[in-house]
Amino acid sequence: MTQETWTEVDEYIFDALVPSDPALEAAIAASDEAGMPAIAVAPNQGKLLHLLARTIGARSILEIGTLGGYSTIWLARALPPGGRLVTLEYYPKFADVARKNLDAAGVGDLVDIRLGEALDLLPGVEGPVDLTFVDADRVNNPAYFQEALRLSRPGGLIVIDNVVRAGAVADMSNTSDEIMGLRRMHELIAAEPRVDATALQTVGMKGHDGLTIVLVKA
């Protein structure tokens, strides 16, 4: 299996199950034009987030890491009438691009973009939250998980992206801050009696990585 094969399979999945969407494609194009890193979730991963939010009837969604708003659009489109999404972004330039993309996609009125360090902003987020999507720096993932758990309702979900890092998470010789943050997060999840969780490796156009999905039991 090669990166070329993974990408071909992703493209097959997109054609079969994730139809072309002008607003989402425009959001990626605008992010590229702004010189932002090409690290948004893939279309099939965006749709997974959308389906998870719909499955649990999420009315309140929290996103940590907005980037250009691509995943934000997927999540906001899952909200029912009266639903709300709060997304936290550190970089003002990214937040500006995201706001334009959200408005162009017709979901801007559903989304509250808050600018600053996520750990500074999270105490001001009101719960309960039905679904939290964490897609930010891995170093702070242990704290992001703890804050997401504090805000979550019973039956809520916490989804954390980029948890495998091309297998680095299982390479015990790798002691970088990023990888140690991922391991510490998983240790906290495993020791927390109020949750149940699993993690999945993913391969595709974005390479080899993975998702951790946490169910809040109580």
Side-chain angles (χ1 to χ4, degrees):
M1 295 292 286
T2 65
Q3 179 63 60
E4 181 180 3
T5 302
W6 297 343
T7 300
E8 288 174 354
V9 173
D10 260 1
E11 289 172 348
Y12 163 78
I13 293 170
F14 304 159
D15 290 342
L17 299 173
V18 189
S20 175
D21 186 294
L24 289 166
E25 291 168 3
I28 293 295
S31 298
D32 290 343
E33 290 171 9
M36 297 166 66
I39 56 174
V41 299
N44 51 342
Q45 295 168 341
K47 190 164 186 181
L48 173 63
L49 295 171
H50 176 84
L51 293 175
L52 288 173
R54 288 173 58 191
T55 297
I56 65 169
R59 298 182 61 85
S60 175
I61 297 175
L62 169 65
E63 181 181 53
I64 302 175
T66 314
L67 196 64
Y70 181 80
S71 56
T72 322
I73 295 170
W74 275 111
L75 289 166
R77 285 178 169 179
L79 290 168
R84 192 71 176 156
L85 190 157
V86 173
T87 183
L88 312 180
E89 177 52 55
Y90 177 75
Y91 295 103
K93 177 181 177 180
F94 293 2
D96 288 343
V97 172
R99 171 53 63 197
K100 292 174 184 176
N101 287 336
L102 292 166
D103 287 343
V107 296
D109 291 345
L110 304 176
V111 180
D112 178 6
I113 300 177
R114 302 186 186 182
L115 188 62
E117 291 273 5
L119 291 180
D120 294 334
L121 297 172
L122 282 164
V125 175
E126 294 183 5
V129 170
D130 300 310
L131 185 149
T132 299
F133 178 48
V134 180
D135 191 10
D137 62 292
R138 270 66 64 183
V139 174
N140 287 313
N141 269 7
Y144 295 153
F145 163 69
Q146 290 175 313
E147 284 293 295
L149 178 59
R150 177 183 66 81
L151 290 165
S152 293
R153 66 158 171 88
L157 291 177
I158 303 168
V159 182
I160 305 109
D161 198 12
N162 303 131
V163 302
V164 171
R165 311 308 287 158
V169 73
D171 177 4
M172 293 304 142
S173 68
N174 188 325
T175 57
S176 67
D177 290 344
E178 174 185 86
I179 299 304
M180 295 302 289
L182 288 173
R183 292 183 190 137
R184 177 58 181 156
M185 178 193 73
H186 285 131
E187 290 169 359
L188 289 172
I189 293 170
E192 175 54 67
R194 292 172 291 173
V195 306
D196 202 358
T198 191
L200 301 172
Q201 295 186 79
T202 60
V203 294
M205 63 183 291
K206 299 294 183 177
H208 177 201
D209 219 312
L211 296 168
T212 297
I213 300 176
V214 182
L215 171 67
V216 180
K217 298 188 296 184

